[in-house]
Every structure is written in structure tokens, then in C-alpha cells.
Amino acid sequence: MAARRIPSLLSRSLSAPSTSTPHFLSPRKNPGRGRGVYRFSTAAALEETITPSVQISYTQHLINGQFVDAASGKTFPAYDPRTGEVIARVAEGDAEDVNRAVAAARKAFDEGPWPKMSAYERSLIMLRFADLVDKHRGELAALESWNSGKPYEQSAKSELPSFARLFRYYAGWADKIHGLTVPADGKHHVQTLHEPIGVAGQIIPWNFPLIMFAWKVGPALACGNTIVLKSAEQTPLTALYAAKLFQEAGLPPGVLNVVSGDGPSAGAALASHMDVDKIAFTGSTETGKIILELAAKSNLKQVTLELGGKSPFIVCEDAEVDKAVDLAHFALFFNQGQCCCAGSRTYVHERVYDEFVEKAKARALTRVVGDPFRKGVEQGPQISSEQFEKVLRYIKSGVESSATLECGGQRFGSRGYFIQPTVFSNVQDDMLIAQDEIFGPVQSILKFKNIDEVIRRANTSRYGLAAGIFTKNIDTANTLSRALRVGTVWINCFDVFDAAIPFGGYKMSGMGREKGIYSLSNYLQVKAVVTPLKNPAWL
């Protein structure tokens, strides 16, 4: 893979794992609370769970610049997926909390200083925020991993640098958003204005809480909007911490409001609110349909959706099998398989299929599973008991459908939500494991004979988010990349997410694009202004 200019969020890394403990973690340990580092292929002794030294300081809603309790006074638990234990109780938002947050955002947009600031002044606040993120990277990374179960090294070394980079990228756009002068046939001066859309509602998922925060908050602020953001109920902690840093950076009250709560109450209230001008959602396709319906039935607010996927990863007959196995493994197992664009349909040419399967199995058997706060761990727990059980049901379905279970398929350990890295071969297109978004560490390997066949089969999916192609042949790469009906195609790489690269899907994988210049249009209105010209010197 080509070297990256900036720290990549998720691009493939070939660095060797270390065995030491991250410097930001406390030496304090809790006996009996989980496990340490394991290789799936060996029986390792149990080790004590590492306790992060970060303090959970922000558990209330942030509304109009103040941290406040839920209107109802209710709270809900935030869990450590390593153990299933409660690590905090967080304000539980409902319609009344959303109403308060929307009122604050509306007042900040209509009467506050934010949209009336120069774009340059707005960019400076965003840049100060990015500097604060760098300063507090350890705390944010620890909270992200503690609440979500992803490896600390992933959070600290990949996601937090990308998080800050995204805000610097959008800070750079703030003073470069402008309209056009348009020639007209008659004696008129015509110009277009690109205006902020108003109050933006944003609903982010649990698999990449901070990164999704940046994908949505960054362009909305650059365009001059105000925001009500609902975090995922599974992972509410880092959005609140980041919002506090925005306050320190000088963001005016009411510009960014954060409400914690579940989808059916807080999320539905935000999507259907009559004073919200735009809604952006990342999550499942099923929930995306509900968001779209609520938006249409309320005030027909604009909608951006980034939804599910079942991405094909195509290994062609000329592939170097060892490299293809390594990249396909990363494409599927990264982030515990909890990635919307995961390469979850691994299509392998029949000429190299048997060799690929054996080596994919061997790679899965050496995958390091354990406490995400210990260096060298590649795979932590799934996010929740619900997701854990869902993945195991899909594994059972694969076995019952007569796919060959090459390895894995069981719970890992006896506590928390860990699942063995699982590989299926002889998978057929009509099996559920080849059709549904599993969102877990389950690799399904399918066989194909020729390019025309794999194009047809890869496109026979209700999803169209992304695809991977592994080949040495530029003609094959060009043919596949143009034929696949997906929003992103990675050729001989996977999960390369630069701030400037747009991301979004075809078909039931969503509508609109996030990141890059394309995301700005999600948060802008275009106004045409026409003025008559009297005795113009030229037209």
C-alpha cells in the first residue's frame, strides 16, 4: 500500500504488534475482570483487566452551553464491553430534551454571533478545537476504547489523529465557501449565495463515535450552521467530552448541543422536529428508512443517510495470495468487524481459492484477541450483549446453511462480549451470511470463475457502499471499478479514509456523501439573486 501523507483513520497497517502497556493507562488492575492478550490459536493464562486512568467527567446533556440533567431526571447505563459492567450513568434524553436543544440551536442561529461571524473567525475556533484534541488525545482515546471496546492503539494512533485532521480540513473550507456570478440572457445581474441551512440534527452511531462526530459536525460548522447532535446510547461519553473542548475553544453557546438517549425517543424526536432544517444519520438501513419517513412527515427536512453495507472484496486469479489474505483479513476483521464498509463478501477466483482459504484460516487463528488496552491486541469485544448474540445467531445460520466453518464460531472467554475470529468457506450467495450485514468478526469466502460472473454476483445485493479489488492487472481493475455499483472502490488497499475523500453509498446504503467538498452541499442552501441592470456597459 502507498504511504499515507497524514495518519489514516483506517488504512491498512503492517506494523508489528508490541507487548508493552500504553503509557496513558493506569498501573491499577482489577483482578477477575476479564482477560489480557490471547492468540486465538493458543491457550494463554488469564491476565487482569487494565483500568484506564481517565476520569468520566461529562454525563449530562450539553444544551445552550451548559451541562444539564435530563428533563425527566432519568439516566441510563454506559457499559464496558470487556466485562459488561456499568462504568457511568448518563442523562437519558427524550422529546423534551430535544425541544430544549433545538430551541437553543435556533436562537443561536437566528440571534447569536455564530452565523454572523466572518468565516475566518469560525475557522479559528475549529482550529483551536483541533489543537485541544491533540492536547487531550490520551483521555479521548481511553474513553473511546473503554466505552466501545476497540483497541486503544487504534483509537490513539489512528482515529484521534484523523479526528483532529478532519476538523482542520473543514476549518480550511470555512472561508472558501462562496456562490457564483451567473450570466443571463437579458439585462440582469444574477448571483448565487451559498447560505447555511440552519439547525442541523445529527445522529451518530456507536462503531466510530468520534470519527462520525467529525464527519457531521465539521462540515456543518464550516458552513455556519448550528447543531443538535444525538450520540449513540451505547457510546455517549466521547461526544460530551469533545463538546466540552469546543466550549474551551470559544464556540458560542447553543451552536453545538449534545443530547444522549435512545433512538425511539430522542432520535425520533429530532428527526421529526418541525424546527430542525436538516437531519444527518449514520446507522442501519432499517433505522434510516424510519428517519427518512419522519423527516418527510414533519417538515420535509433535507436528509443525508450513511447506512449499511455488504461490501465485496474480490481476489482475482493473478493475486499474490499472501498479500491478498492479509488485506482481506483486515478488510473484514478491523474494528471487530463492526464497520459498515467491511469487506464481508470475500470473492476469490477458483484458481487460488483453496490456497486462499487455508491461509485465511491460518491468519484468523493467529489473530490477537483480548483486553483492548493491552498493546498488541487486534480484536476487542463486540459493543454489546445484543450485538454479541446477533453475531452468534448469524454464525449458527452459516453452519445450518452448510457453509464450511473453517475456524472460530464460538464465544471467546467467559466474560464480556468477545467472539472468536470466524471463517466460513463454501459460502453461497443465497445464504444469510452472504446477504445480511453481520457486523462482526465473521469472514465469508465465496468462489467465482470469471470477471463477468463476479460483477453480476457482487452487484446482486441491496447494498452498495464499498468494494475492494485485489489484482495486478490495470485493465481488470478498471473494468471492475466501473462496473461495481458502489460508492467507494479500493484497489489493492482497503479502508483508506482521507478527509478529502467522499464517502457514501448506492442503493440501500444511503443517500448523499460525507467528507470532502461534497459534504458541504449537505449543509448549504443555494439562493439565486436577480437584479435588473440599467444601461449596462456589457452583458
Side-chain angles (χ1 to χ4, degrees):
M1 291 180 61
R4 298 302 310 281
R5 181 183 58 206
I6 60 171
S8 169
L9 160 60
L10 313 176
S11 60
R12 179 67 180 98
S13 172
L14 301 178
S15 59
S18 170
T19 57
S20 60
T21 300
H23 73 278
F24 186 73
L25 304 180
S26 166
R28 294 177 288 121
K29 299 178 181 178
N30 292 335
R33 285 189 57 197
R35 58 194 65 73
V37 176
Y38 296 83
R39 289 192 182 274
F40 173 34
S41 59
T42 63
L46 291 178
E47 296 185 6
E48 299 164 340
T49 300
I50 296 173
T51 301
S53 59
V54 64
Q55 183 175 352
I56 299 174
S57 301
Y58 308 109
T59 58
Q60 298 168 291
H61 304 317
L62 179 67
I63 298 176
N64 201 29
Q66 300 293 322
F67 282 100
V68 296
D69 291 331
S72 67
K74 294 180 179 179
T75 62
F76 66 93
Y79 295 98
D80 179 349
R82 299 176 300 169
T83 62
E85 295 179 355
V86 175
I87 57 175
R89 295 201 67 86
V90 181
E92 183 176 344
D94 57 19
E96 178 55 33
D97 299 292
V98 170
N99 286 339
R100 290 191 292 163
V102 172
R106 175 55 62 192
K107 183 176 181 180
F109 185 78
D110 290 345
E111 304 174 22
W114 181 248
K116 299 176 181 64
M117 283 184 186
S118 71
Y120 178 64
E121 290 177 296
R122 292 200 303 269
S123 74
L124 291 179
I125 291 175
M126 296 174 72
L127 291 171
R128 286 197 293 270
F129 170 75
D131 290 342
L132 287 168
V133 168
D134 288 341
K135 180 180 178 181
H136 295 276
R137 180 185 299 181
E139 295 99 316
L140 282 164
L143 281 176
E144 190 84 330
S145 291
W146 197 4
N147 198 188
S148 73
K150 66 179 61 190
Y152 176 84
E153 286 184 297
Q154 175 186 323
S155 296
K157 295 182 179 180
S158 291
E159 296 187 20
L160 262 299
S162 290
F163 180 70
R165 174 68 178 97
L166 282 155
F167 278 100
R168 292 188 174 104
Y169 174 84
Y170 283 112
W173 267 114
D175 60 357
K176 300 170 186 67
I177 298 168
H178 55 79
L180 301 171
T181 299
V182 182
D185 290 340
K187 295 180 180 181
H188 293 89
H189 173 77
V190 182
Q191 67 184 76
T192 60
L193 302 178
H194 290 185
E195 300 182 345
I197 201 167
V199 176
Q202 302 179 328
I203 302 174
I204 59 174
W206 48 258
N207 55 335
F208 294 101
L210 280 174
I211 293 299
M212 295 300 104
F213 180 103
W215 284 20
K216 289 176 171 53
V217 172
L221 292 183
C223 294
N225 298 279
T226 59
I227 298 167
V228 177
L229 180 139
K230 191 200 84 69
S231 56
E233 58 267 33
Q234 297 88 347
T235 53
L237 301 179
T238 49
L240 294 167
Y241 196 109
K244 175 61 176 177
L245 294 184
F246 253 124
Q247 285 188 307
E248 292 184 30
L251 193 69
V255 175
L256 174 61
N257 306 275
V258 178
V259 175
S260 307
D262 65 18
S265 55
L270 187 59
S272 60
H273 203 288
M274 293 296 292
D275 211 17
V276 171
D277 301 301
K278 191 262 180 336
I279 192 80
F281 169 79
T282 295
S284 71
T285 296
E286 291 71 23
T287 304
K289 291 179 181 180
I290 296 171
I291 297 292
L292 191 60
E293 181 181 11
L294 292 172
K297 286 184 174 180
S298 52
N299 59 346
L300 208 63
K301 58 179 65 67
Q302 293 188 28
V303 179
T304 302
L305 300 173
E306 195 268 282
L307 307 176
K310 193 69 178 176
S311 300
F313 185 95
I314 300 171
V315 180
C316 299
E317 62 179 319
D318 63 342
E320 294 182 44
V321 174
D322 289 345
K323 292 182 178 179
V325 165
D326 192 58
L327 190 58
H329 180 90
F330 170 75
L332 184 282
F333 289 100
F334 176 76
N335 205 52
Q336 293 71 249
Q338 298 170 152
C339 190
C340 56
C341 58
S344 51
R345 289 184 292 156
T346 307
Y347 286 100
V348 181
H349 191 275
E350 61 182 2
R351 188 182 71 81
V352 295
Y353 185 85
D354 290 343
E355 180 185 0
F356 184 97
V357 168
E358 285 303 310
K359 290 182 174 180
K361 173 183 176 180
R363 176 63 183 92
L365 287 169
T366 62
R367 185 166 183 80
V368 183
V369 184
D371 187 335
F373 283 105
R374 194 172 302 280
K375 277 194 172 183
V377 164
E378 297 175 280
Q379 181 177 316
Q382 308 309 119
I383 184 66
S384 65
S385 60
E386 293 80 7
Q387 189 65 20
F388 172 83
E389 295 294 342
K390 173 188 170 185
V391 174
L392 291 179
R393 286 195 299 272
Y394 274 112
I395 292 172
K396 181 180 179 182
S397 170
V399 172
E400 292 174 348
S401 299
S402 298
T404 302
L405 180 62
E406 297 287 345
C407 65
Q410 301 293 326
R411 178 179 195 144
F412 186 88
S414 59
R415 196 169 192 182
Y417 311 130
F418 296 83
I419 293 177
Q420 294 173 347
T422 299
V423 176
F424 280 103
S425 64
N426 298 315
V427 177
Q428 305 302 315
D429 291 330
D430 59 353
M431 296 178 180
L432 285 180
I433 59 172
Q435 294 181 349
D436 291 358
E437 186 178 38
I438 300 174
F439 234 57
V442 181
Q443 185 176 32
S444 298
I445 308 177
L446 305 92
K447 184 186 296 185
F448 74 93
K449 295 181 179 180
N450 57 61
I451 295 298
D452 289 340
E453 174 199 329
V454 79
I455 289 171
R456 174 182 55 79
R457 293 170 63 191
N459 284 335
T460 305
S461 170
R462 60 187 179 275
Y463 299 113
L465 191 54
I469 301 167
F470 201 91
T471 181
K472 298 176 185 177
N473 190 313
I474 188 62
D475 293 328
T476 299
N478 284 335
T479 296
L480 285 168
S481 63
R482 289 173 180 265
L484 295 172
R485 299 193 64 235
V486 298
T488 299
V489 177
W490 288 294
I491 300 172
N492 297 333
C493 60
F494 207 86
D495 279 346
V496 178
F497 286 102
D498 190 277
I501 300 174
F503 186 78
Y506 289 23
K507 299 185 281 186
M508 293 179 72
S509 289
M511 55 179 65
R513 294 294 180 269
E514 296 192 294
K515 297 194 293 108
I517 188 173
Y518 296 91
S519 65
L520 299 175
S521 62
N522 297 331
Y523 297 98
L524 293 169
Q525 289 280 20
V526 178
K527 178 184 289 181
V529 180
V530 183
T531 307
L533 293 172
K534 187 175 182 180
N535 299 320
W538 54 269
L539 288 176

